[in-house]
Amino acid sequence: MSDLIDEPEEGANAPEFTVTEISGAIKRVIEGEFGHVRIRGEIGRVSRPRSGHIYLDLKDDRSVLSGVIWKGVAARLATRPEEGLEVVAVGRITTFGGQSKYQIVIEDIRPAGVGALMAMLEKRKKALQAEGLFDPARKRPLPYLPDVIGVVTSPSGAVIRDILHRLRDRFPRKVLIWPVAVQGEICAPEVARAIEGFNRLTPGGPLPRPDLIIVARGGGSIEDLWGFNEEAVVRAAAASQIPLISAVGHETDTTLIDLAADRRAPTPTAAAELAVPVRMELLSWTDDQGARLTRALGYAITQRNQRLRDMSRALPRPRTLTEWAAQKLDTVGARLPQALIRGVDQRRLRLSHVTGSLRPSALRRTVQGKREQLQARAPRLAPALKRSAERRREMLNARAERLSPQPILQEIAREKRRVTDLSARLEKAGKAQITTRGERLTAWGRMLDTLSYQATLQRGYAVVWGDGAVVTTRAAAGAAQALEIEFADGRFTPGQSQPGPRKSTPKKTPPEQGNLF
């Protein structure tokens, strides 16, 4: 009978636990013992799956601790985890029963000192330089006189006032301000979105696309300027189709956006000086060019006049051309009466020879008849000779007129008047063109001020922004994660109270780290 009864095994009355129960118990013990802890170590393996979470290892020379950064926390981190970076991680120790391991859920992570930041900066600089983002060949020249300038900076700091004041002193231009945070966790994403947003604007659209972008911030420590060393900001500056000037910090401060920008300015004020020329210097240069043009025209006209005078001196005088013809006419006129008398005498002698061979009576009658005819024609001879002399004199005068330099002198006078008229018209046209272009430039400036969307806001309208872009439809407003309404005096976020003095809330001091042992 006793053989049929089993003896109870040793410890058979101890409770039994499932694997999940024992894992939960261990989880409660570890989480209860270790609340918030700060751990210093070097980042080892970093994994970024498509879920948005970040998995990494914290290690020292002897141990490795697994860590996880949930998606929501990763989006707010000021420092992006990179392999080899020495950091101080703040979080809570927990367990992961699925793999029987413990890990730290990281809530904040920061570099362990300036040395770690500089090491990470140098590593990031070499990686981006190897991709060619800092290549001088890809940098674009700045426009000489941009119509619209986009400024990415804080709207409440002294930087924007310095830029606007310098632009107003040198050459007033239309300025579009994209307000961003210039330090902290949201600095890098906001600056990158601002640069990309300016590039997405349509040229000639309701909101004009800038011809030049200035990214500006005042001086500060390396931690304050760290947002401008982020890879997203550097890539946005390198991909910008609009020429970009980087004016981050003072002259001694250097960030990675300075290397990717098309031009680097030592200060925000210097960036405004690089953006536009001095208006008074430009007007002085225009006046100087106009004076040079006037002097050149005057010199050209003087040369033409001198050439005409030289050509006129080379021509003979009009009196010289007619003196020879007049002298010849006088000589012929003086010889004509003697020639007529000799002609009459020769004919009388020839008549005497002829009449000597004739009979006296017949000859007498013939002579008498001829004498009568001669006496009848004699009165007409003098007028005929006079008419002949006059005809010859008229012919000589006509030839003299053809040889006269009067037509040449008239042609020279006409050319001189034409040159004088052309020079006057050219000078008048030059002055009119300069005046017209000045008036056109002034009219364009007034038109730009009239068509700006700020003028529309002054009349009571508003602009709705969603996720950094202008919302124009109801569907886009419903799809946007956050909406902002821009009025003439600033922006307003629905659901938030009006900006005002904020009460400082004391920061909660995390519980002291317990003893690990």
Side-chain angles (χ1 to χ4, degrees), residues 189-423:
E190 285 191 358
V191 172
R193 283 197 300 268
I195 297 174
E196 294 170 356
F198 274 138
N199 280 270
R200 290 197 192 102
L201 295 178
T202 304
L207 191 62
R209 186 173 186 256
D211 303 311
L212 180 67
I213 297 176
I214 299 177
V215 179
R217 187 207 187 279
S221 63
I222 185 174
E223 291 84 359
D224 295 337
L225 302 178
W226 189 255
F228 298 93
N229 291 319
E230 292 293 345
E231 184 176 347
V233 175
V234 177
R235 293 190 181 278
S240 174
Q241 298 300 318
I242 303 174
L244 187 142
I245 298 177
S246 172
V248 177
H250 296 303
E251 189 168 1
T252 57
D253 299 324
T254 302
T255 56
L256 294 184
I257 192 176
D258 295 335
L259 304 177
D262 297 301
R263 288 289 294 275
R264 176 187 181 268
T267 60
T269 303
E273 295 176 355
L274 290 175
V276 295
V278 180
R279 184 174 182 268
M280 297 307 298
E281 293 180 358
L282 187 60
L283 290 175
S284 176
W285 178 84
T286 305
D287 294 339
D288 182 64
Q289 295 301 313
R292 290 180 60 187
L293 178 61
T294 303
R295 289 195 299 270
L297 291 175
Y299 180 72
I301 293 171
T302 302
Q303 279 191 325
R304 296 284 182 89
N305 290 334
Q306 183 64 36
R307 186 176 179 184
L308 286 175
R309 286 194 295 267
D310 294 340
M311 293 177 64
S312 64
R313 283 196 296 268
L315 293 174
R317 291 180 298 174
R319 180 177 297 180
T320 304
L321 296 176
T322 59
E323 284 178 352
W324 179 82
Q327 183 178 3
K328 186 176 181 180
L329 179 62
D330 293 340
T331 302
V332 173
R335 291 169 57 187
L336 183 60
Q338 296 297 329
L340 291 175
I341 294 173
R342 284 196 300 271
V344 172
D345 292 342
Q346 288 176 359
R347 285 182 174 81
R348 183 179 291 114
L349 181 60
R350 191 166 51 253
L351 181 61
S352 298
H353 289 304
V354 173
T355 57
S357 59
L358 295 176
R359 290 178 298 177
S361 58
L363 180 59
R364 195 176 292 114
R365 287 193 301 269
T366 302
V367 171
Q368 185 65 30
K370 293 291 184 180
R371 183 179 289 112
E372 292 174 358
Q373 291 180 2
L374 183 60
Q375 289 176 354
R377 294 179 180 177
R380 293 184 297 172
L381 179 60
L385 292 177
K386 187 177 181 179
R387 287 194 298 272
S388 177
E390 289 177 354
R391 282 196 299 270
R392 285 180 173 273
R393 186 177 289 107
E394 290 174 357
M395 292 175 60
L396 291 176
N397 289 334
R399 291 181 181 178
E401 290 178 357
R402 285 197 298 271
L403 296 176
S404 174
Q406 190 65 26
I408 299 177
L409 295 178
Q410 293 177 355
E411 182 67 20
I412 292 175
R414 283 195 299 272
E415 289 295 326
K416 185 175 181 180
R417 287 195 299 272
R418 188 171 68 86
V419 170
T420 304
D421 182 56
L422 287 177
S423 64

Side-chain angles (χ1 to χ4, degrees), residues 66 68 99 125 152 162-164 170 224 314 380 392 486:
S66 298
V68 59
Q99 296 182 359
K125 177 181 177 181
V152 179
D162 293 342
I163 293 176
L164 295 178
R170 290 174 66 86
D224 295 337
R380 293 184 297 172
R392 285 180 173 273
E486 183 178 2

Side-chain angles (χ1 to χ4, degrees), residues 39-46 56-67 82-87 89 104:
I39 300 177
R40 180 169 182 161
E42 180 183 338
I43 297 179
R45 173 190 58 86
V46 179
L56 53 84
D57 291 336
L58 292 176
K59 63 181 181 178
D60 55 16
D61 55 347
R62 287 181 295 178
S63 303
V64 177
L65 175 63
S66 298
E82 295 184 11
E83 187 175 350
L85 179 64
E86 186 177 2
V87 297
I104 179 174

Side-chain angles (χ1 to χ4, degrees), residues 30-39 91 93 510-517:
I30 293 179
E31 290 182 354
E33 186 68 23
F34 303 102
H36 280 75
V37 296
R38 298 175 73 246
I39 300 177
I93 301 296
E512 295 183 357
Q513 179 173 346
N515 191 350
L516 296 175
F517 306 100

Side-chain angles (χ1 to χ4, degrees), residues 107-121:
E107 298 175 358
D108 189 16
I109 187 169
R110 296 187 179 277
V114 178
L117 283 176
M118 296 304 295
M120 182 173 65
L121 178 63

